[in-house]
Amino acid sequence: MEISDLIPNAFYTKDETALIYALSQGKGGRAVIRLLKNLFSRLIIIPLLLLLQVVLFALLIWEFSNNWLFGYLIFFLMSMAAVLWVINKGDNPSYKIAWIIPIMMFPLFGGLFYIVFGNHSVSQRYMKRNGPMLKLFRSQLTQDEGLWQKILASDPHIAKQSAYILNSGGYPVFENTATEYFASGEAFFEDFIQQLEQAKHYIFLEFFIIHDGVMWGRTLDILKRKAAEGLDIRLMYDDVGCVNTLPFNYYKKMEALGIKCVAFNPLVPLLSLRMNNRDHRKIMIIDGHTAYTGGINMADEYINAIERFGHWKDAALRLKGDAVWNMTIMFLEAWNILRSTDTHYDHFRPHVHHDADFVTDGMVQPYADSPLDREMVSEMVYINMIGNSQHYLYITTPYLIIDNELVVTLALAAKSGVDIRIITPHIPDKWYVHIVSRAYYMPLLKAGVRIYEYTPGFIHAKSFVCDDEIAVVGTANMDFRSLYLHFECGVWMYRSKAVGQLKADYLKTLEQCEEVTSDYSFNRHWYQRLAASVLMLFAPLM
């Protein structure tokens, strides 16, 4: 480990750094170094700078309005205009209420606060800059009409689900793709390492979180070796997701190792709407013919090499075949926009580095979801599955903070006789989010939805399986941030091997769960119910 990794050079000269390093060799010194690292980390500094801006901003408005009655009237009218704007927008009603309340509670600041953080529409400037490139990406994705007719002839209701993903997301459905479901991070990781070792041409990786440790250490060793062999290695990570796990400008360290790298939407100490939009996707592509996705990031808790929140239960999916093309386009679309490059897509098609035919394993349709348009693809895929379920629908999600549309759809399916079951964590990673998730239990329980908590620890998988025929494995949680604000991805499958594997894992997982009964609400203390009631108001903003 370098001295510069321990002590931020921005705050000390080279001689001062060396002196502090020498003092750090004792037990007490190491504690001091840890304290310094924490105090000067971006996780502390940037929030403090943002808070300072908010305070200064509020003081200026307060001073302005107190000393000038006309100023008070301006800010008050601005907040009222913001309320009218929110009411008349096409956003989800839950999202509207979550903004209207704070605007009305703080009429001097609420309007401006909404302008900065709440209006998540795509800027005309962004579309003007990237519109032609986005059209180019979509032109690389075409649907085989014969395959579409095959699904339609098999089951019109299922064909409608696939049609939605094609028409609204732009992603076609494929055959000639083998699926493999992994019921744990440990199982996924060993397979992933084997596939990395077999890479001969390129490796594309995209994660929300990367944390140095066993998992990332083994992966990085292979990436460095493959880069030295001349392979095209590309890495994307979310800067906010990694704010407390990677050093500042980590991408420069990767570039020095021969790994092309970019930090998605870098965190800056300025109040900005863009900070809400995070890259929550997990995409791994090897030579164009093999890909992975699911809930698993590059951090040791995901493979239980360390313990956080009890046993960590996750899931991943491997694709091998033509459907990988959708995921390659997802990655290259983001890569080209962030790096301002122009990639020739045909070099990365599935058969370029795979001469043999792929195995056909049902129908496979990877899709992406972006906050840059007005289409909630992930939520609509979920609603489509729920609404078309006939016998059962099993769901796993780490968070259950859903809008009225999802509540109504789940309730209607359960009342219609469909066996709806949802597994959530028993040990939370965020206490306040867990309180809100539990607040959604009662309306669902009353409708006949069965809810279970995974008692060994934290379940992070995001999966749906329905009627032994359809399944989705992806990155989108059942919460407002995933469904409205984050970049996400998933894989819709019809009659694939992974559908049966996912169902078997679900039933096995139920054996480690405790079912939430209908008298759950009455067993909570009054202060727990009060906290849930208050937090529910702001659930869409969490």
Side-chain angles (χ1 to χ4, degrees):
M1 181 180 292
E2 299 293 331
I3 295 176
S4 59
D5 293 330
L6 294 172
I7 306 167
N9 289 334
F11 298 97
Y12 301 100
T13 66
K14 183 176 180 180
D15 290 340
E16 289 171 328
T17 301
L19 175 61
I20 295 175
Y21 179 73
L23 292 172
S24 73
Q25 298 310 293
K27 185 176 180 180
R30 286 193 293 272
V32 171
I33 292 299
R34 283 195 298 271
L35 177 61
L36 287 172
K37 284 185 67 179
N38 290 332
L39 286 177
F40 292 110
S41 69
R42 288 197 298 159
L43 191 63
I44 299 296
I45 293 175
I46 291 181
L48 285 176
L49 290 174
L50 292 174
L51 179 61
L52 179 62
Q53 291 176 64
V54 171
V55 171
L56 289 175
F57 194 52
L59 287 175
L60 285 173
I61 294 175
W62 183 263
E63 187 67 21
F64 183 64
S65 60
N66 270 353
N67 292 300
W68 191 28
L69 181 60
F70 186 63
Y72 178 90
L73 183 61
I74 289 175
F75 289 116
F76 181 81
L77 291 175
M78 187 180 296
S79 291
M80 296 305 99
V83 169
L84 292 175
W85 175 261
V86 171
I87 290 173
N88 288 282
K89 285 188 69 175
D91 288 340
N92 184 279
S94 300
Y95 194 80
K96 292 180 180 181
I97 292 171
W99 275 109
I100 290 172
I101 290 173
I103 293 173
M104 296 299 292
M105 286 176 64
F106 307 102
L108 284 181
F109 318 112
L112 285 175
F113 192 74
Y114 173 78
I115 291 171
V116 174
F117 290 106
N119 186 13
H120 57 274
S121 301
V122 185
S123 69
Q124 292 184 353
R125 180 181 177 187
Y126 174 88
M127 291 306 299
K128 183 177 181 180
R129 183 174 71 246
N130 296 313
M133 191 178 293
L134 293 172
K135 289 181 180 179
L136 176 61
F137 299 144
R138 294 296 181 259
S139 70
Q140 305 298 314
L141 299 168
T142 55
Q143 179 62 64
D144 180 339
E145 184 61 27
L147 178 56
W148 163 246
Q149 292 298 328
K150 184 176 178 180
I151 302 176
L152 188 61
S154 174
D155 191 320
H157 293 289
I158 288 173
K160 288 180 181 179
Q161 296 184 46
S162 177
Y164 169 77
I165 297 172
L166 175 64
N167 296 332
S168 297
Y171 292 94
V173 62
F174 291 90
E175 287 185 311
N176 306 321
T177 305
T179 63
E180 187 71 30
Y181 172 81
F182 298 97
S184 69
E186 295 91 319
F188 149 78
F189 187 56
E190 290 308 314
D191 188 83
F192 174 63
I193 289 295
Q194 292 177 20
Q195 295 294 330
L196 281 183
E197 291 284 10
Q198 296 174 26
K200 294 181 173 59
H201 304 280
Y202 60 89
I203 299 170
F204 299 160
L205 302 178
E206 182 175 352
F207 293 104
F208 180 61
I209 296 172
I210 297 175
H211 196 175
D212 193 22
V214 174
M215 195 176 187
W216 180 236
R218 287 183 65 186
T219 302
L220 185 57
D221 285 343
I222 297 173
L223 297 181
K224 289 189 291 187
R225 178 160 34 88
K226 293 292 184 178
E229 293 171 5
L231 274 68
D232 182 2
I233 312 296
R234 307 188 190 187
L235 172 66
M236 273 193 286
Y237 64 89
D238 187 85
D239 202 42
V240 169
C242 298
V243 67
N244 199 37
T245 61
L246 292 180
F248 180 57
N249 284 346
Y250 186 72
Y251 65 91
K252 292 182 179 179
K253 180 178 180 179
M254 293 296 98
E255 294 278 354
L257 296 173
I259 299 170
K260 300 171 186 175
C261 187
V262 62
F264 182 91
N265 198 2
L267 181 61
V268 294
L270 293 173
L271 292 174
S272 171
L273 168 64
R274 293 189 310 112
M275 291 300 106
N276 262 329
N277 303 134
R278 308 316 318 170
D279 183 6
H280 195 245
R281 304 190 302 191
K282 295 90 181 169
I283 295 176
M284 295 138 269
I285 300 168
I286 299 166
D287 289 345
H289 54 68
T290 301
Y292 296 85
T293 192
I296 300 170
N297 284 296
M298 277 287 153
D300 283 354
E301 60 267 29
Y302 290 84
I303 57 172
N304 290 289
I306 61 173
E307 183 175 316
R308 295 186 68 201
F309 324 116
H311 182 269
W312 192 289
K313 174 80 171 78
D314 220 314
L317 182 72
R318 186 189 71 204
L319 305 180
K320 191 176 286 284
D322 288 351
V324 173
W325 181 236
N326 282 9
M327 300 188 71
T328 302
I329 290 296
M330 292 177 209
F331 181 91
L332 291 175
E333 178 180 14
W335 183 268
N336 281 2
I337 289 175
L338 294 173
R339 299 268 296 208
S340 299
T341 56
D342 183 15
T343 298
H344 298 287
Y345 300 101
D346 288 342
H347 299 326
F348 303 100
R349 290 185 180 273
H351 279 285
V352 171
H353 302 300
H354 192 281
D355 296 329
D357 292 336
F358 294 116
V359 174
T360 291
D361 175 17
M363 313 290 186
V364 183
Q365 193 169 15
Y367 61 90
D369 192 6
S370 166
L372 300 182
D373 56 29
R374 307 299 297 177
E375 190 69 33
M376 279 69 75
V377 175
S378 295
E379 181 176 22
M380 294 302 109
V381 169
Y382 291 166
I383 287 177
N384 230 338
M385 286 188 69
I386 300 165
N388 284 284
S389 57
Q390 301 296 316
H391 305 290
Y392 76 84
L393 177 70
Y394 299 158
I395 301 169
T396 58
T397 178
Y399 315 117
L400 188 62
I401 305 177
I402 51 180
D403 58 21
N404 186 64
E405 285 79 357
L406 274 168
V407 171
V408 169
T409 307
L410 286 166
L412 178 60
K415 289 177 179 179
S416 302
V418 181
D419 180 12
I420 306 287
R421 305 189 189 193
I422 304 174
I423 298 178
T424 64
H426 183 69
I427 300 176
D429 64 335
K430 303 177 184 71
W431 65 267
Y432 53 92
V433 175
H434 196 53
I435 288 175
V436 178
S437 290
R438 284 179 160 179
Y440 279 90
Y441 287 178
M442 281 311 298
L444 296 175
L445 290 170
K446 288 178 179 178
V449 176
R450 300 179 70 180
I451 299 175
Y452 300 78
E453 289 191 349
Y454 179 69
T455 54
F458 185 70
I459 190 163
H460 190 253
K462 310 95 167 50
S463 62
F464 280 55
V465 61
C466 175
D467 295 342
D468 293 349
E469 289 194 318
I470 308 170
V472 167
V473 175
T475 66
N477 302 314
M478 292 185 74
D479 67 4
F480 283 86
R481 295 205 67 81
S482 273
L483 300 178
Y484 283 78
L485 299 174
H486 288 169
F487 291 84
E488 304 282 0
C489 66
V491 179
W492 180 89
M493 295 169 284
Y494 174 50
R495 293 182 176 174
S496 299
K497 180 177 73 171
V499 176
Q501 293 174 328
L502 174 50
K503 180 185 179 182
D505 176 48
Y506 196 96
L507 295 176
K508 184 178 179 181
T509 304
L510 279 178
E511 297 173 3
Q512 299 176 281
C513 295
E514 178 181 347
E515 185 168 6
V516 179
T517 61
S518 57
D519 61 352
Y520 162 77
S521 180
F522 300 104
N523 293 331
R524 293 186 300 167
H525 295 291
W526 67 268
Y527 55 83
Q528 292 175 315
R529 293 196 294 271
L530 177 61
S533 299
V534 173
L535 290 172
M536 281 280 285
L537 295 174
F538 304 100
L541 307 181
M542 290 184 177

